[in-house]
Amino acid sequence: MNNFGDRKIFWEEILEILSIPVIIINRDGEIVFFNKGAREFLGYNEKDIIFRKIYTIISASAKPLLESLIKKAEEKSEPSIVENILPFVKKDGEVVSIHTSFACASSNDEFYGIFVLKLKNRKDFDLTWLKALVEQANVAIEVTDAEGNIIYVNPEFERSSGYTREELLGKNSRILKSEKRDKAFYEELWSTISSGKVWKGIFINKRKDGTFYYADAVIFPIKDDNEEIIGYGSMGVDVTEKVKMEEEIKERTKKLEELQAFLVKMASKSLSEEYTFIDFVKEILEKAAELIDADKVLMLMFNESHDQLKPIDVYFKREKVHKKGFITTKEELPLYFEKAKREMEEFLIINKTHNPALMEELARFAQRCGVKDVGSSIIDVPLRSNKEVIGTLSFAKFDPDKEWSLDEQIFAKYIADIVTLKLEQYNKIKMEKALIEAREEAESANRAKTTFLSQMSHELRTPLNAILGFSQLLYEEMLGPLNESQKDALKDVLKSGHHLLELINEILDLSKIESGRITLSIEDIHISDLITEVIDLSRPLAVNRGIRIINEVPKGVYVKGDYTRLKQVFINLLSNAIKYNKDEGYVEIGIEESDKIIKVMVEDSGIGIPKDKLDRLFNPFDRLGREATSLEGTGIGLAITKKLVELMGGSIEVKSKAGQGSTFTVSLIRAEGIFKKMERDMKDIRSSEHVDKRKKYKILYIEDNLSNLKLVTKIFLKRPEVKLITSGQGRVGIDLALTHKPDLILVDINLPDISGHEVLERLREIEELKDTRIIAISADVLGMNKEKAKKKGFDDFIPKPIDVKQFLSIIDNYLSRA
Ligand code: ADP
């Protein structure tokens, strides 16, 4: 019983009883024993299987493996056991990989190999539930032996590799290796798994058909109970699509970033003499051709009537040249013109699938012109300005099948946007330049006109005064009697002469204002006083035509202004309101108060101003067509009025309805009022000790601002020794001085008729008044002060607003010397 042979029968009986499948082969590889467990598991019966070659029940792919196992076993004298996973073929053809212990022994030149199929081992792959799972999984699963020879693959593995299971079993998994991964990659992989660790990574494998696929894989060693590695398992997910997509996204992101940077750069480029709009177009078309897969890029602009498209630039990518291109017309390309001026569409795609008729039309045209790109695929984006299509940007590929990707469409639109932006900038620059030129021209013309008018007016006034003077003499019959028709004719001469004089005076006034040659004396004005005065002056005009004047201006409201000039403003407005009124109509003047602004409204029930003429209202010499009527005027009044109001820091507006009347609103700066701050001071007014109270003093005050007149009157009411004489005008003041011979004369510099300086000059010429003290009063403290006043010949200067104490001390000083 020392050798295996002797005990053969005994072992066979025992082995037959075991449920573990056991197979014994002889030296020739013939099956000599096939126990019950093996028969049941693999489905063969004893008669069929005995003396069949073992290779007929082990998958052919495992033949080399098996041969090497047997060879190895034979070489060893001692019996040895090798563990392996072998692919057995069942009777029904199914291949199952089974963990197998292979033992062999040789005695009496007889070789026996024993296979024990370890079905109960956990590492076996024929556990039905596990097998079902693995077969169904959409993960590619592969099992190899310790050398990397494939002993199992699942259907998903077959699908992703392109090989069948039969083709793979027994082959080394190297078969799938591609050159896309370097040596180091595989070395690292092998060193990881052969040391018993799990490896994770992405393979780039080669399919049977030579194409590549990406597999995100995990490879792990399979160990036996003694922790020996007996094989490797791998699971891989085909991530080819994902990787490709990621690569595409990366590529796209890069392109988008490039585009964005390019667009920002182009948008911020400013146009100049050195870098013109055409330079810009050339640069952007070159880059556009690069970013979008186009052979030719065109920028075309419509003419005004939209029946012609003119190329601005045409760029050919392959030749890298810019060409002029052809002008196309609506007659030549009716379909294209119809489409190109589209309202809403962002893109127009023209190729074999989109708008084929249009493609043919363009191809025919190209042929007629002898152009080679007959039948291109085109993407056309509109250039819009103010929502209107003004041109197009066209990308052409010399391939009628070319489809434009979404990215390319978006790029094209972005580029069109930038071109439009630059085009608008370019047009703006062009327009601004033209505007500046026009304005400069107008300004210099206006300056020339102003100078001319003011010179001419002076020249005209002198002879006109002579004409009027002599006509007056003739009319008054001072040079002899006249008959009725001569008198009538002279009346006309005088009337026209006066109109001419008024016109000349107004032109002079306007040119003085326009050239900034007037100075205003801004003071606090009691608006109610000013309006009352204006109404009194205008009333005769109104009475004749039965027009009522309603004064709604309350007392106690002050505005900042130049008294004389503000009066002029309201005289103009009120006389217009009467002049352009209906008989029996009305004029109402009222105010609207707010914190900082006082609005004075002059409303009339007159003929009104048509809407379309309102904007010409303040233009000098424009009478809005009234020159044809009997209403006389010069058309300058409102121009002057507006300028004066603005010089006083205010503004003027008008609302009007033709046939119903107009309202002129003058907004002025609100003032504190001179009385408020002076009421306190007024209480302290007492007679001065230096003044002789038994004497009567006469003071003449020439002043047009009613508020100041009232204030000074109030002050002297407390001084019974003083008799105050007042005048609102220079000339009347001089007359009063002659009659009353006052002890002291106070002259406001800004007077409505002649200036305070002229009043002084004339007073100084009067012998009887040569010792009379004359004091200047003015709100224009910039233009006037004590020194300047003395230089001009005044004795002293009192600034406005009047400070009661200072005022009285100066007055008393002169009175005590009188
Ligand atoms: P003028 O009265 O000398 O023609 P203005 O400059 O004062 O010139 O006014 C310009 C024009 O505006 C007038 O010719 C007249 O047509 C129109 N206009 C002015 N005020 C009124 C008004 N209150 N109602 C209707 N039209 C007016």
Side-chain angles (χ1 to χ4, degrees), residues 512 518-523 525 561-568 644 648 701-706 708 727-730 747-759 776-781 783-784 794 797 800:
K512 225 161 112 187
I518 65 155
T519 44
L520 294 186
S521 158
I522 303 292
E523 49 189 313
I525 296 169
D562 177 294
Y563 196 86
T564 313
R565 292 302 193 168
L566 197 59
K567 214 160 81 184
Q568 191 182 352
L644 286 176
M648 288 182 245
Y701 182 25
I702 310 174
E703 163 72 272
D704 63 333
N705 186 336
L706 281 180
N708 279 313
S727 163
Q729 285 184 25
V747 187
D748 178 34
I749 298 294
N750 252 35
L751 288 170
D753 53 349
I754 51 174
S755 78
H757 297 292
E758 209 177 324
V759 173
I777 295 184
S778 176
D780 178 22
V781 284
M784 193 55 125
F794 287 103
F797 170 71
K800 282 201 257 188

Side-chain angles (χ1 to χ4, degrees), residues 1-2 5 8 49 74 108 127 155 207 211-212 230 244 293 297 374 419 490 530 551 655 705:
M1 295 269 281
N2 279 333
K8 190 179 155 208
I49 206 78
E74 261 186 307
N108 305 338
L127 286 178
R207 289 199 189 91
T211 57
F212 298 100
I230 54 165
K244 272 198 182 150
D293 180 25
V297 192
V374 178
V419 171
L490 261 181
L530 186 136
N551 183 357
K655 281 209 179 91
N705 186 336

Side-chain angles (χ1 to χ4, degrees), residues 71-80 104-107 110-111:
K71 206 169 158 229
K72 260 192 220 158
E74 261 186 307
E75 279 162 9
K76 290 190 180 158
S77 47
E78 289 297 301
S80 62
C104 66
S106 55
S107 81
E110 247 193 298
F111 170 84

Side-chain angles (χ1 to χ4, degrees), residues 576-577 579-580 604 607-609 617 622-624 626 633-639 662 664:
N576 275 348
K579 188 159 63 170
Y580 300 108
D604 67 54
I607 52 182
I609 302 152
L617 194 63
D622 198 339
R623 296 201 64 217
L624 314 181
R626 296 272 151 73
T634 58
I636 306 178
L638 283 181
S662 320
F664 285 79

Side-chain angles (χ1 to χ4, degrees), residues 411-444:
F411 283 9
K413 195 185 159 328
Y414 279 158
I415 287 167
D417 283 350
I418 293 286
V419 171
T420 312
L421 183 91
K422 267 288 125 73
L423 191 65
E424 276 170 1
Q425 279 176 14
Y426 170 67
N427 284 336
K428 211 175 130 208
I429 292 171
K430 232 170 53 178
M431 230 160 71
E432 272 169 6
K433 225 170 128 190
L435 263 177
I436 289 170
E437 275 166 16
R439 198 172 56 214
E440 272 167 5
E441 210 169 289
E443 272 172 7
S444 85

